[in-house]
Amino acid sequence: DPMSILSVLQRLASTSDTESRFGVQELTNEVALELLRRSSSITAAAATYEQFEDLEEGDRFFAETSVIERSKFDKETVSAFNGVRLGLDSGKKDPSQFRATVAVV
């Protein structure tokens, strides 16, 4: 869906200039505005900020934080990567009935 929040965030990320401080500021503003526009459909959110000089250290922090956040849920009913569904909990209702989105950015 080209109007889904993930599609919009992907479009913003791919067209933004993240090489400059101003570009990152503009991207942050646009993402915040888009999230505010969709706030009625957001049931939960969390945010944290860390700055790393070392890319590997930043990647490690992101991976650890992702695992911690994902572990807060009893189970994952749908996992997807690059548009491909990796698993479904067959004991639940048809997931296409729901429009839930989880994004770790």
Side-chain angles (χ1 to χ4, degrees), residues 24-71:
V24 171
Q25 180 183 356
E26 286 296 307
L27 174 60
T28 303
N29 288 340
E30 289 298 319
V31 167
L33 181 59
E34 193 60 43
L35 291 173
L36 285 170
R37 286 180 178 142
R38 298 167 187 255
S39 62
S40 64
S41 64
I42 298 173
T43 57
T48 185
Y49 172 82
E50 294 282 334
Q51 184 171 348
F52 298 95
E53 304 245 344
D54 179 41
L55 181 60
E56 289 181 17
E57 186 181 354
D59 286 341
R60 190 170 36 256
F61 176 81
F62 176 79
E64 290 171 2
T65 302
S66 296
V67 169
I68 290 168
E69 291 302 314
R70 291 173 66 195
S71 71

Side-chain angles (χ1 to χ4, degrees), residues 81-96:
F81 178 73
N82 210 15
V84 177
R85 290 178 188 245
L86 302 175
L88 288 176
D89 178 10
S90 58
K92 299 290 181 188
K93 294 182 180 178
D94 180 10
S96 64

